Amino acid sequence: MSENLTIDDTATRWSTSNRARMPLLVLLHGYGADEHDLFGLVPYLPEGIAVASVAAPLAPPWPMPGRSWYAIEGLDGRSPEAVTAAAEAFLRWLDVAAVDAPSVALLGFSQGAAVSLQALRLAPERFGAVAALSGYVASGELPHDEALAELRPPVFWGRGTHDDVIPPELVDHTAQWLPGHSDLSGRVYTGLTHSISEEELTDVHRFLTKWIDGIAKS
């Protein structure tokens, strides 16, 4: 299944064309959005990095606009296998896109957050940090989960108290799973729905700055 999923590299939006040997932050959008959606966050992000905003490989059912990483409706909605297939497609894109990057971090929203965390589980050594906003960790076990628990890479998990999109059981699973597999930080934002606030962006900026500072020290 995953071999059939392909990310259209021509749709990727880049913050700069001069990105050789720059740390790379990849933005993964949510369901029904596209590569333009999270690109508006670039002014809120730390300087000195290249930012790529990718387009998910699937088109959601008509009349929903935009793109999707995996189905969220039907018998296979939010299936761990579908999340894994999307993450594998993303990793194939990254094989080409991040050749010169000294470190790669991910910032995903909703579906994009789930795919970001699944990519981290599939290839723990490839990522310096992951910011997962309004998302979750897919259920089930993957072969590199033990290695991830040993590496404990920095993960920021942000969500709102009024987010009614992510099922409570997935939120509970994520809250149980992440502390044992990452250096977890994050925040629950009072009153926030399934969205991103300026307050959260301030926290994300701080989190990503630590990632960049760590690259300079290594």
Side-chain angles (χ1 to χ4, degrees):
M1 176 180 177
S2 67
E3 292 296 334
N4 296 326
L5 291 181
T6 302
I7 292 177
D8 180 5
D9 186 51
T10 64
T12 302
R13 290 195 65 179
W14 290 91
S15 63
T16 177
S17 59
N18 184 21
R19 53 184 181 266
R21 294 181 294 280
M22 294 182 69
L24 173 62
L25 174 67
V26 187
L27 310 179
L28 290 83
H29 64 76
Y31 184 82
D34 58 26
E35 69 277 10
H36 305 297
D37 184 55
L38 294 182
F39 199 76
L41 300 183
V42 170
Y44 296 89
L45 301 173
E47 297 180 353
I49 61 175
V51 180
S53 185
V54 297
L58 301 174
W62 187 88
M64 174 66 72
R67 309 291 299 173
S68 70
W69 292 97
Y70 51 88
I72 61 173
E73 304 293 343
L75 295 177
D76 294 326
R78 292 195 178 94
S79 75
E81 293 79 14
V83 182
T84 297
E88 289 174 341
F90 170 71
L91 289 171
R92 289 193 293 273
W93 173 87
L94 194 66
D95 286 338
V96 178
V99 173
D100 295 326
S103 183
V104 177
L106 307 178
L107 191 164
F109 175 76
S110 193
Q111 273 201 345
V115 173
S116 295
L117 291 169
Q118 202 78 335
L120 179 67
R121 296 174 66 186
L122 291 173
E125 75 289 345
R126 297 190 66 173
F127 302 104
V130 174
L133 311 184
S134 301
Y136 64 93
V137 174
S139 60
E141 297 182 0
L142 291 176
H144 298 300
D145 283 348
E146 287 189 13
L148 182 63
E150 292 182 6
L151 286 173
R152 299 181 66 83
V155 170
F156 177 89
W157 181 33
R159 60 187 180 87
T161 57
H162 287 53
D163 186 341
D164 59 359
V165 172
I166 305 301
E169 61 271 19
L170 290 177
V171 174
D172 291 342
H173 168 69
T174 303
Q176 296 284 334
W177 197 93
L178 277 178
H181 294 82
S182 68
D183 180 8
L184 180 63
S185 61
R187 189 171 171 186
V188 180
Y189 300 89
T190 301
L192 184 65
T193 59
H194 192 67
S195 58
I196 303 172
S197 67
E198 288 197 19
E199 189 177 18
E200 187 173 27
L201 287 176
T202 298
D203 292 335
V204 169
H205 188 287
R206 186 180 301 113
F207 172 75
L208 293 174
T209 298
K210 290 181 180 179
W211 160 61
I212 297 168
D213 291 345
I215 299 170
K217 295 175 182 178
S218 63

